Amino acid sequence: MKGIVSFCCFVSLLVLTSAEEEEDVIASTNILRDRSHIDKTLRLAFDDNAAESYNAALQKLRKIYHSAIKPMEQAYKYNELRAHEISAYPGRTLGDGNTDGEITSKPMVLFLGPWSVGKSSMINYLLGLKDSPYQLYTGAEPTTSEFTVIMHGEKTRSIEGIVMAADSSRSFSPLEKFGQSFLEKLLGIEMPHKLLERVTFVDTPGIIENRKQQERGYPFNDVCQWFIDRADLIFVTFDPTKLDVGLELEMLFRQLKGRESQIRIILNKADNLATQDLMRVYGALFWSLAPLINVTEPPRVYVSSFWPYEYAPDTSRDLFKREEISLLEDLNQVIENRLENKIAFIRQHAIRVRIHALLVDRYVQTFKDKMSYFSDPDLVFKEIVDDPDKFFIFKSILAKTNVSKFDLPNREAYQDFFGVNPINTFKSLSAQCSYTGGCLLDKIEKAITSELPGLLGSINPSKPPPGLSSCETTGCGEKPKNRYRKN
């Protein structure tokens, strides 16, 4: 009898001790973490003069685009080519229907990954939304079913997806093409926040491997691709319990191909593990992702616990804090370089538009040269578009304009392009001139070789603007003599 009583006392003591330890852990996790280093690292207390100079440079960029690049886009229907040029020009491009919104949009940070790995909690932590009415809902079960865009606004409010798509002042109007079912799963949140004045966050539904894509009711992969193409930084988040790679995650990494420089891997909730277990999980994460990321230099991996509460006791707190600050510095670098990146992107876009116009002009000239009084125009042009190498369409552009061969679109794209845009609807470049407005080719070449590099130099005086010699690496080359200008 005494033995039974002693055993019961021992069990009671164990339960009591376990409960006390659990209370200590709960008490530590209820303590909010100090966030002062976030504002300091992201330099959120910048002066209004910097914002004014940024907006002034942005207006100059819009003016250059509308006066020098957009007229050439419209004249040669560059946006029509984009539907067929995915393999030639992967990634972000202008012209989805709201170019002004693209130019003035803030850098986009995209959060991707399996369900309940802490994507929403990380956004709550970065913005200090804990216990606020607009904190993103979090939980152990799949909680985020919408694409949630968190952006700056004068007051805190939520915006339905259908309203976001209808607002021409935003950059989200192209999302209408994914249908009403998707717009019902799109949500915008505006709030006055210093960080959101400089960046926009996008939270995405978690990947659930046992769910069929068609059950979502909209083209999930296509929507992800749209956001991936526009993201300046992509956080792919995991936690120690969700390292398996299924079909949906494998598809996601295929969509990320070509964007490796924007990808950052986050191993979240790292304070849930002892140091030795964390090392094993870190190795297992790389083992799972190695077949999916086929690059020489692997993406940066941040190991920490990104949520508002203190780190769990007896964990590598100093390591986690350093990792968090490194991630914040990475984010700040994207914010600081946002205008330079935008100008460089517009310049690269202008080079592509110029190449397209030169190619269409060459097709037009070849068609006119081959036509005779007795020729069938459909058969003549079919021969040209089916075998452009026979008529030196692409080689002539490389030989006479110093265009890089790596910047040329594929030939098949022009078969589809001219299938919906008859050749006789285009004028030659020599006819795209006026006495008052000048020539379209002159304008776009001036933007590429002087205006955009000059704007880049004006916002970063410490670095000289790229001169004409830099065009050799971008496909522009030295400014060619305008063969098309009317005398």
Side-chain angles (χ1 to χ4, degrees), residues 227-300:
F227 281 104
I228 288 169
D229 290 343
R230 283 151 185 80
D232 297 86
L233 195 60
I234 302 171
F235 289 137
V236 184
T237 310
F238 297 88
D239 77 6
T241 65
K242 299 181 182 68
L243 302 180
D244 294 336
V245 176
L247 293 178
E248 193 164 320
L249 191 60
E250 187 176 344
M251 172 62 74
L252 176 65
F253 272 92
R254 281 203 296 267
Q255 293 179 280
L256 292 170
K257 188 174 178 61
R259 304 301 302 275
E260 286 81 7
S261 61
Q262 278 89 29
I263 298 174
R264 305 293 185 270
I265 306 295
I266 295 177
L267 180 56
N268 201 11
K269 306 180 184 180
D271 61 343
N272 289 346
L273 299 174
T275 302
Q276 188 174 8
D277 292 333
L278 181 60
M279 293 175 61
R280 291 173 179 153
V281 167
Y282 188 85
L285 176 63
F286 265 98
W287 179 265
S288 299
L289 298 182
L292 306 179
I293 306 177
N294 188 20
V295 291
T296 305
E297 183 177 349
R300 177 73 162 86

Side-chain angles (χ1 to χ4, degrees), residues 78-136:
Y78 174 73
N79 296 339
E80 297 278 346
L81 177 70
R82 290 189 57 252
H84 314 291
E85 66 171 357
I86 296 175
S87 60
Y89 293 151
R92 186 178 182 181
T93 52
L94 284 179
D96 271 352
N98 188 5
T99 305
D100 280 342
E102 290 276 357
I103 292 175
T104 58
S105 64
K106 300 176 179 64
M108 180 186 293
V109 178
L110 181 64
F111 291 80
L112 299 169
W115 58 276
S116 295
V117 293
K119 301 186 295 296
S120 302
S121 296
M122 184 173 178
I123 295 175
N124 287 337
Y125 173 56
L126 292 174
L127 296 176
L129 299 182
K130 172 63 180 171
D131 295 330
S132 73
Y134 283 88
Q135 70 171 340
L136 302 181

Side-chain angles (χ1 to χ4, degrees), residues 184-211:
E184 293 175 0
K185 295 293 185 180
L186 177 64
L187 177 66
I189 298 177
E190 283 188 346
M191 62 182 68
H193 195 285
K194 277 289 186 182
L195 179 54
L196 294 178
E197 290 178 4
R198 309 172 74 189
V199 71
T200 295
F201 291 128
V202 179
D203 192 17
T204 62
I207 293 172
I208 303 177
E209 295 295 351
N210 60 358
R211 175 182 294 174

Side-chain angles (χ1 to χ4, degrees), residues 50-70:
E52 290 177 4
S53 61
Y54 172 80
N55 291 330
L58 213 55
Q59 292 304 316
K60 291 180 181 177
L61 182 60
R62 289 184 62 221
K63 183 178 179 181
I64 293 172
Y65 171 76
H66 281 283
S67 62
I69 303 172
K70 189 174 182 178

Side-chain angles (χ1 to χ4, degrees), residues 79-80 176 243 270 298 363 402 417 450:
N79 296 339
E80 297 278 346
E176 283 186 309
L243 302 180
Y363 275 104
N402 294 327
F417 174 78
S450 62

